[in-house]
Amino acid sequence: MVIAIGFEGSANKIGVGIVRDGEVLANERETYITPPGEGFLPKETAQHHRSRVLDILKRALDVSGIAPQQIDVVCYTKGPGMAPPLLAVAIVARTIAQIWNKPILGVNHCIGHIEMGRLITKAVNPTVLYVSGGNTQIISYACKRYRIFGETIDIAIGNCLDRFARIIHLSNDPSPGYNIEQMAKKGRNYVSLPYSVKGMDMSFSGILSFLEQKARPKRKQNKMQTKATEEEKWSDEDLCFSLQETLFAMLVETTERAMAHTGSSEVLIVGGVGCNVRLQEMMGIMCEERGAKLFATDERFCIDNGVMIAHAGWEMFRSGTRMAWNDSTITQRFRTDEVEVTWRDD
């Protein structure tokens, strides 16, 4: 029996989770929320994490009923992510590991999402669509690595959604992406947007720039109380609807192409954007047409959390992976395919 505790803080979520042999014992999390129209800056995010992490740790221990001496390994997010929040949480994990006299393991954030998704959904060997605020990747496992078949060549899909939410001044509570999803349900008119798939890769920055030109002039004209023009024929709800439909169609196309290449009959959606019901619906239609199965989790496990780091660290630890103290650092750029997957059998 192995019990692992995980610390996650690569972006605006700070979480602590505890697992015991694949059983989730605690999954405590808080979010740093900024005012509408503003993003979260690295320095302020790190300050938030430092101020909240010990209370969250206490809650996780209380909920799990686990004492520190029962824990076998302390895990933390090594990367990728924003440097100040990553560092703040890594320092806490190193300190806890030293106080408790436990081994420490740095976990790849992307691997954490994948392994948590596989645990919850019981997917065997899926093509993985990893979509979040900082990452957009299509992944498949082969020969002890999670191989990246396609990815964004500029900004992540979650970043695209978040930045558009700031343009139209949507609330960041509970998240910009969630609020765009709710507004998109009220959209009735599809606005044609650039569709940018380049082989297996995608580009989102041009779509955002195009939308910015459509959203901002309309707001400015309304403020000046000018006569209705062509730009005023769509609403913010229409733009949210159009943005989702276009972005998600790009994801479905590239995911299907990866499935065809690998012969996969499963798709697993992970990452914060994976909570989006419309994305799941569109991917589900494609899977049904191919005779494949779609797997996804809810917001407890899609959104960044500490238990996914604990579970991935648990997998690593029980397969013999160990980390020297000198290696317990962070890296903002830690690619999914850099990790040797020692816990899976080919």
Side-chain angles (χ1 to χ4, degrees), residues 88-326:
V89 175
I91 289 173
V92 171
R94 288 201 296 262
T95 304
I96 291 297
Q98 288 179 320
I99 292 173
W100 294 349
N101 193 28
K102 304 294 182 181
I104 191 167
L105 279 179
V107 175
N108 181 287
H109 180 86
C110 314
I111 300 292
H113 274 296
I114 295 171
E115 292 305 331
M116 196 69 220
R118 291 181 62 232
L119 171 69
I120 298 300
T121 65
K122 308 303 180 185
V124 180
N125 188 28
T127 296
V128 179
L129 175 63
Y130 172 36
V131 278
S132 69
N135 299 276
T136 303
Q137 297 177 342
I138 295 125
I139 302 162
S140 186
Y141 172 79
C143 302
K144 297 296 181 183
R145 301 273 173 171
Y146 281 111
R147 312 288 177 175
I148 299 173
F149 278 74
E151 59 190 320
T152 175
I153 60 175
D154 40 52
I155 62 174
I157 186 170
N159 186 243
C160 180
L161 293 169
D162 291 353
R163 287 166 65 177
F164 181 65
R166 294 204 290 272
I167 290 171
I168 59 176
H169 290 273
L170 287 184
S171 171
N172 291 320
D173 186 13
S175 71
Y178 175 81
N179 293 326
I180 282 183
E181 180 182 2
Q182 302 314 306
M183 286 194 70
K185 293 176 182 178
K186 303 173 185 177
R188 294 294 178 266
N189 302 309
Y190 178 79
V191 180
S192 181
L193 303 178
Y195 187 93
S196 188
V197 172
K198 302 175 185 295
M200 283 299 297
D201 296 328
M202 297 146 285
S203 173
F204 302 118
S205 60
I207 300 172
L208 181 64
S209 298
F210 184 86
L211 265 178
E212 185 174 4
Q213 296 304 312
K214 287 192 174 295
R216 281 185 168 161
K218 178 174 73 69
R219 297 176 66 86
K220 186 176 181 181
Q221 289 163 6
N222 287 342
K223 186 176 181 180
M224 295 173 63
Q225 295 182 341
T226 58
K227 292 182 179 180
T229 61
E230 188 70 23
E231 285 80 9
E232 291 180 292
K233 290 185 178 179
W234 54 74
S235 64
D236 287 343
E237 288 81 0
D238 292 334
L239 294 179
C240 289
F241 166 72
S242 304
L243 179 61
Q244 280 200 165
E245 294 297 303
T246 304
L247 297 183
F248 296 165
M250 293 162 60
L251 295 177
V252 171
E253 177 189 340
T254 47
T255 302
E256 183 175 18
R257 195 175 295 128
M259 292 176 70
H261 180 81
T262 61
S264 173
S265 60
E266 297 177 329
V267 173
L268 171 64
I269 306 177
V270 299
V273 181
C275 295
N276 190 292
V277 174
R278 179 55 182 158
L279 172 59
Q280 294 179 14
E281 288 177 352
M282 293 174 68
M283 195 67 70
I285 292 170
M286 181 273 288
C287 288
E288 185 177 357
E289 290 175 350
R290 294 185 62 87
K293 293 182 179 179
L294 173 65
F295 297 93
T297 62
D298 58 31
E299 60 88 25
R300 293 174 299 166
F301 304 111
C302 260
I303 298 172
D304 293 350
N305 59 84
V307 76
M308 73 183 196
I309 302 302
H311 177 65
W314 173 83
E315 292 276 22
M316 295 166 64
F317 188 77
R318 73 184 185 92
S319 66
T321 301
R322 299 293 184 270
M323 173 181 280
W325 278 103
N326 290 342

Side-chain angles (χ1 to χ4, degrees), residues 29-42:
R29 176 180 63 204
E30 290 185 12
T31 304
Y32 174 51
I33 297 174
T34 54
E38 297 182 16
F40 51 91
L41 299 175

Side-chain angles (χ1 to χ4, degrees), residues 12-39:
N12 68 328
K13 308 289 190 303
I14 172 69
V16 179
I18 300 175
V19 298
R20 177 178 56 204
D21 291 344
E23 177 189 2
V24 176
L25 302 180
N27 184 19
E28 299 297 311
R29 176 180 63 204
E30 290 185 12
T31 304
Y32 174 51
I33 297 174
T34 54
E38 297 182 16

Side-chain angles (χ1 to χ4, degrees), residues 72-90:
D72 296 292
V73 60
V74 175
C75 313
Y76 73 97
T77 303
K78 185 178 178 69
M82 300 163 64
L86 280 172
L87 184 59
V89 175

